[in-house]
């Protein structure tokens, strides 16, 4: 019987080898149609054109071998550890004799599931090492494996042997071998009926392989292609698919930007009055970088189009004052300004600062946080709606319904990475089309920034204010604690101040807070009885938080024991030493943010990272990184490597599309290339028909591939 003709949109259920159960499992991973399956790219390849003979394996070498199982079963060590132990003999070629063992620790499941049987032929992929009990033989610890069906190697079109084999991430119980067979079948049935989603002019200009060939060769690489290129995902077929994925992203961003630019906005006027006002408030000479980004912002604000700008700058680079200068421009133009910050502490601090800045000017400012009295909030909202109140600083409370503006002209979002994309939009909607400035101190690796904030214009403050002495960072063990306390004591005796930071899992849970509270009591009573010690955490009432912060700022408190609520934005330049307890429990970005609380003045600062028992390797790498560098961008790159793009911002923010083949760590240059080409195409398509056709592709493509995450 001839198999029915399948197209890209056919459901996988109709593919030979997929029954209802498999169809359901595949659908749970977002694989519903033939097209979904064809775009399910391998994450790695194995070169089985030249299998390594076991005899020729060297200790330390990572390789694929084909062996026949001799024995397999569970053994128990004297220490009571279960080891699944498999002995096998080379089966890569007739007459091969080499022996090898494979071991899995605590792998009772392998025994229970009876996966391995004597006589089976199995591929193992892993690192060979000397077997301490094996008389000169080698072993592989927990190798990846694939069991060869009995009749396989005799088949002429074997997918498993004698070729470069794609390795897929398993989908539930559906393993790589089954997926390989399904993809193969799908390619055979739909292979010559694959319309190319990329515009022909783009393909020609960039010399891209056509889509059908790209899919086929990405799954089953051309045997003449250098294996190194395939392994790096740089074979032309793979490059084409990565390009395609990023091109869709780039086109969408370009369309969004174009749309934003056609909306009418406010054209603020830079008058003598503005210049005077800015001069009056400036507490210091701006750095060259601050001047440059201010000019970029002001140029946007003067134009009749709405500003959409991301202001990036490492912790302590001085973003706040730049934002307030922009605020003055809006205020003098009789527009209102809203500044949203992620925590009450930060909002309060900004409010106190701006109130002081505005003192010589005829503008009013107020603070909207949930901790304020209902009557105060009511009054504030009334003044905001009537236009009496000119500038409001607040938390999420600002986006609640009932907060209305008479004439909202500028929205500033501080520490944007702490907010979801939606929250930014909710605030923007409160004005007809306000200018928008979002700020983030979390240095974002360039690829992520392009993806996540690709619809924004960028300004970067790449210079710290003058007279900062670098922060020295030391990693401490438990035994160093008394010495650490002495270092803190010495700093405070010189009139400086200290933070002691404690990890807390959830600020709302009493039990999580206990260690921080206990530590505070212990430090205040036993370690530093001669100093004034304060405690700050998220569960304090707003007024209390404000009070503690103010007292620390004024120097009345000398030591602030705190949870990570001080992480963002808190600015007390006289604080020069920070002890971070259990530093191994913090993420890199968080450590960098925390450390950014010190080193804000002329005095030399010291950051002490205390981590007790040997933390795991990744934690150790984080601490090492912190001790090595204070460069936020470098830290962000390492963080991205250690955590992977999905985890980088935590689940809340994310909004990062789940790329299927493109990889933000590996493919930065393809991302930039595709984004450039997409912008170019949107402005100058080959023909109007081509543009129309592509817009159709994009409309289908985006929601199906990336879900709703990126729709905002
Ligand atoms: P961030 O970019 O992390 O938000 P801030 O705006 O809080 O940084 O600024 C960090 C510190 O540097 C603050 O104490 C601020 O007053 C100070 N500062 C900012 N710009 C300058 C400057 N040009 N000269 C001197 N000090 C500055
Ligand atoms: Mg800040």
């Amino acid at each position: 019987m001839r198999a029915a003709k399948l197209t890209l949109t056919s459901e996988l259920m109709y593919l030979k080898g997929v029954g209802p159960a498999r169809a359901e499992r595949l659908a749970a991973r977002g694989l519903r149609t033939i097209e979904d399956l064809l775009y399910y790219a391998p994450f790695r390849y194995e070169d089985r054109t030249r299998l390594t003979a076991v005899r020729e394996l060297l200790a330390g070498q990572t390789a694929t071998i084909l062996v026949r199982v001799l024995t397999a079963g569970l053994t128990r060590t004297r220490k009571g550890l279960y080891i699944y132990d498999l002995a096998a003999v080379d089966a890569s070629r007739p007459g091969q004799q080499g022996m090898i063992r494979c071991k899995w620790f605590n792998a009772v499941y392998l025994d229970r599931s009876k996966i391995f049987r004597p006589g089976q032929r199995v591929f193992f992929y892993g690192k060979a090492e000397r077997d301490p009990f094996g008389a000169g033989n080698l072993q592989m610890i927990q190798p990846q494996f694939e069991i060869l069906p009995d009749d396989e190697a005799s088949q002429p079109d074997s997918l498993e042997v004698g070729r470069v084999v794609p390795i897929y991430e398993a989908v539930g119980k559906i393993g790589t071998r089954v997926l390989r067979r399904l993809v193969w079948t799908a390619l055979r049935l739909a292979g010559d009926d694959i319309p190319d989603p990329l515009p022909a002019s783009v393909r020609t200009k960039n010399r891209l392989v056509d889509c059908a060939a790209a899919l086929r060769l990405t799954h089953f690489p051309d045997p003449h292609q250098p294996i190194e290129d395939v392994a790096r995902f740089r074979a032309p077929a793979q490059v084409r698919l990565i390009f395609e994925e990023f091109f869709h992203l780039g086109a969408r961003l370009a369309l969004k930007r174009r749309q934003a630019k056609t909306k009418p906005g406010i054209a603020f006027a830079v008058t003598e009055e503005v210049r005077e006002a800015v001069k009056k408030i400036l507490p210091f000479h701006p750095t060259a970088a601050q001047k440059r980004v201010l000019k970029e912002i002001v140029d946007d604000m003067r134009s009749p189009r709405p500003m959409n700008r991301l202001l990036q700058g490492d912790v302590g680079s001085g973003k706040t004052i730049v934002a307030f200068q922009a605020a003055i421009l809006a205020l003098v133009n009789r527009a209102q300004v809203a500044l949203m910050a992620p925590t009450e502490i930060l909002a309060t601090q900004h409010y106190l600062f701006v109130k002081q800045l505005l003192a010589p000017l005829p503008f009013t400012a107020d603070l909207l946080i949930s901790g304020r009295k209902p009557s105060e909030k009511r009054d504030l909202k009334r003044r905001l709606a009537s236009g009496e109140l000119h500038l409001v600083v607040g938390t999420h409370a600002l986006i609640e319904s009932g907060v209305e503006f008479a004439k909202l002209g500028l929205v500033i979002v501080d520490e944007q990475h702490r907010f979801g994309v939606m929250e930014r939009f909710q605030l923007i909607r409160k004005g007809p089309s306000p200018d928008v400035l979002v700020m983030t101190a979390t240095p974002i690796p360039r690829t992520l920034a392009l993806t996540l904030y690709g619809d924004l214009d960028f300004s970067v403050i790449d210079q710290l204010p003058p007279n900062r002495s670098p922060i020295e960072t030391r990693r401490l063990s438990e035994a160093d604690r008394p010495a650490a306390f002495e270092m803190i004591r010495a700093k405070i005796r010189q009139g400086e101040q200290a933070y002691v930071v404690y990890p807390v899992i959830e600020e709302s849970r009493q039990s999580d807070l206990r260690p921080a509270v206990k530590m505070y009591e212990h430090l205040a009573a036993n370690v530093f009885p001669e100093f004034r010690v304060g405690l700050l955490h998220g569960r304090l009432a707003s007024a209390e938080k404000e009070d503690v912060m103010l007292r620390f700022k004024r120097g009345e408190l000398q030591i602030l024991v705190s949870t990570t609520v001080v992480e963002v934005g808190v600015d007390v330049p006289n604080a020069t030493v920070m002890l971070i307890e259990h530093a191994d429990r913090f993420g890199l970005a968080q450590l960098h943010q925390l450390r950014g609380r010190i080193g804000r003045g002329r005095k030399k600062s010291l950051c002490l990272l205390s981590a007790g028992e040997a933390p795991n390797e990744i934690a150790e790498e984080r601490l090492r990184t912190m001790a090595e560098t204070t460069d936020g961008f470098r830290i962000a790159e390492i963080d991205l490597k250690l955590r992977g793009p999905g985890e980088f911002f935590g689940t809340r923010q994310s909004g990062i599309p789940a790329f299927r083949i493109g990889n933000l760590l590996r493919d930065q240059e393809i991302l930039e290339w595709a984004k450039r080409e997409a912008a170019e195409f949107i402005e100058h398509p080959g023909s109007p028909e081509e543009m129309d056709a592509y817009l159709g592709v994009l409309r289908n493509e985006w929601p199906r591939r990336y879900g709703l995450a990126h729709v905002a």
Side-chain angles (χ1 to χ4, degrees):
M1 193 188 84
R2 273 198 55 194
K5 188 82 187 147
L6 291 178
T7 65
L8 286 188
T9 51
S10 306
E11 285 185 38
L12 280 176
M13 214 166 29
Y14 303 114
L15 184 67
K16 179 167 172 277
V18 182
R22 274 189 183 163
E24 205 170 299
R25 267 193 209 122
L26 291 166
R29 184 64 80 82
L31 304 176
R32 291 189 182 79
T33 64
I34 296 291
E35 181 175 5
D36 293 335
L37 182 66
L38 293 183
Y39 278 90
Y40 192 73
F43 72 93
R44 167 173 95 67
Y45 299 83
E46 259 178 47
D47 183 2
R48 294 184 187 164
T49 52
R50 305 167 287 213
L51 289 170
T52 308
V54 173
R55 278 232 166 131
E56 285 154 24
L57 262 186
L58 302 172
Q61 185 183 356
T62 298
T64 304
I65 54 174
L66 176 61
V67 296
R68 200 172 56 250
V69 177
L70 297 174
T71 60
L74 210 54
T75 60
R76 199 165 172 204
T77 66
R78 258 177 296 152
K79 284 185 186 159
L81 186 69
Y82 283 105
I83 297 181
Y84 189 84
D85 192 344
L86 180 148
V89 62
D90 199 330
S92 59
R93 267 161 290 181
Q96 287 288 325
Q97 301 284 311
M99 301 267 290
I100 191 159
R101 301 177 94 118
C102 299
K103 290 176 187 166
W104 291 263
F105 298 110
N106 282 321
V108 180
Y109 64 94
L110 282 177
D111 190 50
R112 218 178 281 139
S113 58
K114 307 238 174 301
I115 294 175
F116 293 113
R117 277 177 284 107
Q120 275 173 336
R121 282 174 313 150
V122 185
F123 288 106
F124 285 110
Y125 171 80
K127 187 168 169 187
E129 49 186 74
R130 228 166 277 296
D131 179 353
F133 308 106
N137 283 342
L138 295 177
Q139 63 177 11
M140 283 186 178
I141 303 293
Q142 336 233 100
Q144 293 184 34
F145 61 84
E146 202 179 309
I147 299 167
L148 202 60
D150 293 339
D151 57 352
E152 179 71 36
S154 52
Q155 289 180 14
D157 71 336
S158 169
L159 298 183
E160 324 292 348
V161 199
R163 58 164 79 233
V164 175
V165 174
I167 309 291
Y168 302 92
E169 202 176 295
V171 175
K173 280 188 193 156
I174 308 176
T176 187
R177 204 171 60 77
V178 173
L179 287 165
R180 194 178 299 141
R181 176 59 64 185
L182 294 179
V183 170
W184 175 263
T185 313
L187 277 170
R188 243 187 17 212
L189 296 177
D192 38 4
D193 191 18
I194 297 178
D196 203 309
L198 285 181
S201 66
V202 173
R203 249 159 40 214
T204 316
K205 177 178 170 208
N206 293 285
R207 297 183 194 184
L208 298 171
V209 181
D210 76 76
C211 186
L215 286 169
R216 201 171 59 242
L217 294 172
T218 293
H219 291 287
F220 298 98
D222 183 343
H224 304 299
Q225 197 60 229
I227 181 73
E228 298 74 32
D229 291 351
V230 175
R232 286 169 41 238
F233 283 76
R234 286 299 176 270
Q238 297 160 315
V239 168
R240 140 78 210 219
L241 289 188
I242 297 167
F243 179 96
E244 175 184 326
E245 188 158 44
F246 289 146
F247 186 87
H248 293 321
L249 171 80
R252 215 191 117 81
L253 292 172
L255 287 167
K256 249 169 109 172
R257 284 165 74 113
R258 195 167 73 167
Q259 197 185 14
K261 292 216 158 75
T262 59
K263 275 200 299 190
I266 309 164
F268 292 106
V270 179
T271 57
E272 203 40 49
E273 194 187 347
V274 173
R275 289 202 187 88
E276 282 301 311
V278 168
K279 223 181 270 164
K280 256 191 211 158
I281 67 151
L282 261 189
F284 31 63
H285 290 294
T287 62
Q290 283 170 321
K291 279 189 199 153
R292 189 191 66 237
V293 301
L294 181 66
K295 180 170 182 315
E296 291 164 359
I297 293 166
V298 168
D299 285 348
D300 276 3
M301 291 179 69
R302 293 169 66 173
S303 101
R305 305 278 158 239
M307 168 167 77
N308 253 307
R309 190 166 281 276
L310 176 73
L311 174 53
Q312 215 185 344
D314 210 345
V315 275
S317 60
K319 295 180 290 295
T320 317
I321 194 70
V322 174
F324 284 138
Q325 285 173 285
I328 300 287
L329 172 55
L331 291 172
V332 174
N333 280 270
R334 305 288 172 262
Q336 286 170 301
V337 176
L339 167 59
M340 182 161 74
T343 65
E344 293 200 347
I345 290 172
L346 185 52
T348 306
Q349 175 183 284
H350 280 329
Y351 166 66
L352 294 172
F353 184 47
V354 77
K355 204 169 69 169
Q356 182 194 333
L357 287 183
L358 292 181
L361 300 174
F363 302 115
T364 54
D366 210 337
L367 175 69
L368 181 59
I369 54 180
S370 59
R372 298 200 62 179
K373 290 197 199 106
S375 61
E376 289 173 345
K377 280 197 220 169
R378 258 198 312 279
D379 179 56
L380 184 150
K381 287 178 193 170
R382 184 189 56 72
R383 285 181 294 130
L384 209 50
S386 73
E388 241 173 280
L389 178 57
H390 304 121
L391 182 149
V392 65
V393 181
T395 54
H396 290 85
L398 282 175
I399 58 182
E400 282 163 15
S401 61
V403 179
E404 277 158 31
F405 294 81
K407 190 186 174 200
L408 179 59
L410 175 66
V411 166
I412 303 167
V413 182
D414 195 14
E415 304 294 345
Q416 158 71 27
H417 62 286
R418 289 300 197 95
F419 292 104
V421 181
M422 285 318 288
E423 286 159 322
R424 171 169 33 122
F425 281 91
Q426 277 163 349
L427 185 54
I428 295 168
R429 272 195 221 112
K430 302 219 177 231
S433 51
D435 280 344
V436 179
L437 180 66
V438 301
M439 305 195 281
T440 182
T442 301
I444 305 165
R446 194 168 156 70
T447 46
L448 272 189
L450 283 174
T451 318
L452 208 50
Y453 300 123
D455 57 328
L456 303 177
D457 296 307
F458 275 44
S459 288
V460 182
I461 304 185
D462 50 8
Q463 175 184 30
L464 292 179
N467 305 319
R468 294 267 171 95
S469 48
I471 304 172
E472 184 194 340
T473 301
R474 288 194 212 163
R475 187 198 179 307
L476 303 180
S477 65
E478 201 54 41
D480 303 324
R481 184 177 303 274
F485 288 150
E486 282 319 304
M487 288 184 238
I488 293 176
R489 197 182 309 278
K491 285 282 199 189
I492 298 178
R493 289 231 171 96
Q494 293 169 32
E496 296 161 32
Q497 289 165 282
Y499 292 100
V500 178
V501 183
Y502 228 84
V504 156
I505 301 143
E506 212 179 309
E507 292 275 350
S508 59
R509 281 185 32 195
Q510 203 75 54
S511 58
D512 282 342
L513 274 176
R514 204 172 302 135
V517 176
K518 265 215 158 106
M519 184 72 180
Y520 158 70
E521 286 163 357
H522 172 65
L523 288 177
N526 309 324
V527 184
F528 299 114
E530 74 271 40
F531 297 138
R532 295 178 300 276
V533 185
L535 173 67
L536 186 68
H537 61 71
R539 273 201 106 188
L540 297 178
S542 302
E544 261 179 287
K545 276 186 222 165
E546 197 175 323
D547 180 58
V548 172
M549 269 321 296
L550 260 179
R551 279 165 51 215
F552 189 60
K553 237 184 153 118
R554 290 203 204 106
E556 291 164 25
L557 293 173
Q558 293 158 298
I559 301 177
L560 187 63
V561 179
S562 168
T563 62
T564 52
V565 290
V566 293
E567 177 183 334
V568 285
V570 168
D571 182 42
V572 180
N574 191 48
T576 55
V577 54
M578 173 177 278
L579 168 62
I580 304 180
E581 295 277 6
H582 299 291
D584 52 309
R585 295 197 202 157
F586 292 97
L588 253 186
Q590 210 172 13
L591 286 172
H592 179 63
Q593 289 283 328
L594 283 170
R595 182 172 59 183
R597 299 313 110 216
I598 57 173
R600 297 190 150 236
R602 283 158 200 271
K603 295 170 199 150
K604 198 165 159 27
S605 287
L606 179 64
C607 177
L608 304 167
L609 303 174
S610 161
E613 298 114 51
N616 65 42
E617 216 169 284
I618 291 189
E620 196 57 60
E621 175 75 32
R622 290 198 296 258
L623 298 177
R624 223 181 357 255
T625 304
M626 287 298 292
E628 257 168 40
T629 179
T630 50
D631 176 348
F633 284 92
R634 204 172 132 52
I635 289 175
E637 298 283 352
I638 296 173
D639 198 20
L640 181 61
K641 278 198 186 115
L642 293 179
R643 282 200 284 175
E647 298 287 311
F648 188 76
F649 283 100
T651 42
R652 177 147 182 269
Q653 167 72 29
S654 186
I656 302 170
F659 294 114
R660 293 194 162 174
I661 174 162
N663 175 321
L664 295 175
L665 287 177
R666 184 189 63 203
D667 302 328
Q668 170 164 343
E669 83 285 3
I670 303 182
L671 171 60
E672 303 209 14
W673 168 35
K675 195 175 172 239
R676 210 166 48 235
E677 288 302 318
E680 169 73 20
F681 173 76
I682 295 297
E683 291 313 314
H684 310 287
S687 68
E689 295 75 37
E690 201 184 43
M691 181 70 162
D692 275 353
Y694 180 68
L695 289 180
V697 168
L698 202 56
R699 252 192 306 278
N700 278 326
E701 202 69 12
W702 199 268
R704 208 168 46 75
R705 282 214 195 178
Y706 304 118
L708 289 173
H710 215 261
V711 166

